Amino acid sequence: MSVRKAAMILSRCCWIVFVALVLVGVFAHPVLPFGLTFVPAAVAVAVTVVLGRLSGREVAKAGPAVEVGPPVSGRWRALNSPADRVPSHGVHAYGQSYAIDVVAEPEAEGSRPPFRWLWPVVRRATDFPAFGAPLLAVADGTVVHASDGQRDHLSRNSGPALAYLMLIEASVRDMAGAHRIVGNHLVLDLGGGTYAMYAHLRRGSLRVKAGDTVRAGEQLARCGNSGNSTEPHVHFQLMDHPDLDVARGVPFTWRGIGVPANGETFVAGADVAGADVAGVDVAGVDVHPG
């Protein structure tokens, strides 16, 4: 086990111990003096800060961007893009330094529900055009990991729902491990020490399994809303290791597109044989609220 992996496990364990001590103190009798209750949390924060600084130094030494194809087809909008800042999602953890989120953005006005401060609090995943969109292999590669058993939950694109996600749900998922944060996900080995990760896949949508070889443009799965996700979208990143706990981000550029900036709308290439038009699921979907 690497030092980085051990540190990530230590951090999660410290948070779990801290929460357990707080709950015991509230509903029973305190196990430790009040001040000592916060020691596990302090250790977890310290470990996170140290790992973040080390990752930041490593990112500064990152090589040139790796060119791959886009993971989607059709009209999309970029969010949390590394074209605007690194780390793009605010942290280097889980190989996210150069990660990007994209949401389907059909030309028809009103196709994608906007963020609301109060109401509706949540929406069904099927209300969003990205849900069910096909995800494509960005290059020839081998499937290292593929999982799609987690449910697609309701949206978190309102003030109350977002607060719940940031203050409660995300913390619980973080303690449970990377697989709960990214939800259903797939990792491709592209060769040369580079791996591609697709997160928030739709439950039951995988067309491949670990060990399969895939060709560029092949449909792998469908976009969903599992894990830490405010609405159905594609989270894509390149990294240097298949284990999210130890992976470091690798810069990417999409062939023919580059790296779209935050808010930039782009159109990915023509539909791939065997894939449905982006944003359209001809089979229909069932939402598993959560």
Side-chain angles (χ1 to χ4, degrees), residues 121-125 128 153-157 161 225 229-231:
V121 176
V122 296
R123 292 179 181 272
R124 300 198 315 164
F128 296 83
H153 55 70
L154 297 172
S155 74
R156 310 288 190 247
N157 68 329
N225 198 43
S229 176
T230 56
E231 67 175 273

Side-chain angles (χ1 to χ4, degrees), residues 23 49 54 59 91 131 196 205:
L23 292 177
V49 170
L54 291 175
V59 164
V91 295
F131 192 66
S205 70

Side-chain angles (χ1 to χ4, degrees), residues 139-145 187-191 195 209-214:
D140 296 348
T142 303
V143 179
V144 176
H145 174 86
V187 179
L188 288 183
D189 182 355
L190 306 184
Y195 299 82
K209 63 183 182 302
D212 287 351
T213 56
V214 300

